[in-house]
Amino acid sequence: MTVNELIKKSEDYLKESNIINYLADVKILIAFFMKISLAKLYAVQNERIKFNLDEYWQKLTEYQNGKPIQHITNRQSFYGYDFYVDNNVLIPRYETEELVDNIIFLIDNILTAENKPLTLIDVGTGSGAIAISLGLENPQLKIYASDISQLALNVAKRNIKQLKCRNVQLLKGDMLEPFIKNKIKTDFLVCNPPYIPKNQEISYRVKNYEPHVALFGDDDGLYFYRQIFKNWHKVVNKNGFLCFEHGYDQKKALEKLVKEYFPDQKYFFRKDINKKWRMLFVNIL
Ligand code: GLN
């Protein structure tokens, strides 16, 4: 059987399953089994399959039963870098690449004008995707990344090593606590907290495979924003920025909180590429 024939057969097998991304995921799985990048798959489409097909069909069935493709391949690309992921961390999302983009813009255009070394903290880093991509893109930044979960920190540590990132230091602890304890002051506080409201219906694939500690933010999904809004002044420098990702329907509620907790600061929201409000930035004056 050729690569193309296997793609076709797998697509037929999954067609009825109501899985949104299955066309792309089949190719990811075959590339994984062939130990090549997805980009190279096209070039080998007429080659014969040499890997163990029983094993392949077993993995495809696990996928059909709900397992995320990233948990089968232990891989997710984020900001052009290949991250190791497993069920101890949230799988990095494309929306979050836009958060990284916006932060790079702020670093390039606003704060480096001051010409001093900058510090950034990533609260609840999970796989380390945000902190490590920012670290690799900006080697001059000093970055600290925290997580409450040691298992998540182990994944972040593995990614730091795998991607040869030299400017991210990991800290264990709840929200701002490790930064306050270590008297770390920062120019950027970045956080993509768990923001899904406790009772919101979410897809089976997400709910049953991704860590709930990284998904749910209490009744309204805003619990972790409140935690940071109450304590930011203990860690963020003057002229610094707080940068958040948030849920597509949370702008209004979040803006109300911002007005309450930051009456004297500047703030703005940004949409993601799907035109959904997705990011909040607060500039400490
Ligand atoms: N964006 C993720 C989702 O929709 C949620 C991530 C988060 O809570 N920060 O599944």
Side-chain angles (χ1 to χ4, degrees):
M1 182 162 23
T2 66
V3 170
N4 248 348
E5 284 161 359
L6 184 61
I7 292 176
K8 183 82 187 57
K9 214 170 155 194
S10 308
E11 287 173 359
D12 288 345
Y13 176 70
L14 294 174
K15 211 180 277 167
E16 311 289 308
S17 333
N18 258 336
I19 303 174
I20 302 164
N21 267 334
Y22 77 95
L23 292 174
D25 288 343
V26 159
K27 297 191 177 90
I28 290 174
L29 188 61
I30 295 176
F32 170 71
F33 268 84
M34 295 183 78
K35 299 192 171 64
I36 58 172
S37 73
L38 184 58
K40 295 221 176 81
L41 195 64
Y42 183 73
V44 297
Q45 56 180 323
N46 295 318
E47 282 183 19
R48 297 214 156 275
I49 296 290
K50 293 197 193 85
F51 55 78
N52 183 330
L53 275 170
D54 288 344
E55 244 173 67
Y56 172 83
W57 287 112
Q58 191 194 326
K59 295 293 181 198
L60 198 69
T61 305
E62 283 177 28
Y63 171 76
Q64 187 189 31
N65 290 337
K67 194 167 184 172
I69 197 73
Q70 296 88 343
H71 285 181
I72 297 174
T73 61
N74 288 123
R75 204 153 70 189
Q76 172 67 4
S77 161
F78 183 85
Y79 217 79
Y81 301 107
D82 251 341
F83 283 84
Y84 170 87
V85 295
D86 62 26
N87 58 3
N88 294 305
V89 295
L90 186 89
I91 299 166
R93 306 290 206 264
Y94 295 120
E95 296 91 294
T96 310
E97 295 184 325
E98 298 189 57
L99 179 66
V100 169
D101 249 344
N102 276 279
I103 294 166
I104 289 175
F105 178 83
L106 289 176
I107 293 170
D108 286 351
N109 289 282
I110 300 174
L111 282 176
T112 38
E114 292 178 29
N115 224 351
K116 63 165 180 127
L118 297 172
T119 302
L120 180 146
I121 67 173
D122 177 22
V123 184
T125 196
S127 66
I130 297 175
I132 296 171
S133 336
L134 284 167
L136 292 167
E137 295 291 321
N138 295 277
Q140 79 289 0
L141 273 183
K142 192 168 177 53
I143 302 179
Y144 300 92
S146 70
D147 210 286
I148 194 169
S149 153
Q150 183 59 49
L151 294 172
L153 286 176
N154 294 347
V155 172
K157 193 172 168 192
R158 182 172 176 157
N159 282 321
I160 286 175
K161 206 166 157 214
Q162 183 167 304
L163 292 163
K164 300 189 174 57
C165 179
R166 296 184 203 290
N167 51 343
V168 174
Q169 193 178 321
L170 299 174
L171 301 164
K172 182 166 188 301
D174 190 15
M175 301 307 286
L176 299 186
E177 173 205 279
F179 306 105
I180 296 170
K181 205 172 80 193
N182 289 296
K183 300 198 169 50
I184 291 168
K185 292 276 182 181
T186 188
D187 303 298
F188 286 90
L189 183 163
V190 183
C191 186
N192 173 18
Y195 55 63
I196 301 176
K198 200 166 63 187
N199 294 321
Q200 187 170 302
E201 279 297 319
I202 57 171
S203 90
Y204 173 85
R205 207 174 279 277
V206 174
K207 191 168 179 177
N208 285 287
Y209 288 90
E210 295 195 69
H212 287 191
V213 64
L215 290 173
F216 296 105
D218 220 351
D219 291 341
D220 59 358
L222 300 179
Y223 175 81
F224 294 101
Y225 301 93
R226 282 196 201 87
Q227 294 305 306
I228 291 180
F229 291 1
K230 279 180 197 158
N231 289 303
W232 66 268
H233 55 278
K234 296 179 188 164
V235 292
V236 183
N237 290 332
K238 201 162 168 280
N239 297 328
F241 282 89
L242 286 78
C243 315
F244 301 94
E245 181 175 312
H246 61 78
Y248 69 93
D249 56 356
Q250 288 170 330
K251 177 178 180 256
K252 214 170 140 198
L254 210 45
E255 190 158 16
K256 201 164 156 243
L257 281 183
V258 172
K259 287 197 166 126
E260 186 183 319
Y261 283 95
F262 300 92
D264 305 320
Q265 316 295 352
K266 269 201 319 210
Y267 69 88
F268 52 94
F269 286 86
R270 285 269 182 275
K271 286 181 180 170
D272 65 21
I273 201 170
N274 295 315
K275 301 195 174 64
K276 304 239 193 280
W277 291 108
R278 182 66 66 189
M279 290 155 271
L280 161 67
F281 300 86
V282 182
N283 187 194
I284 305 306
L285 301 174

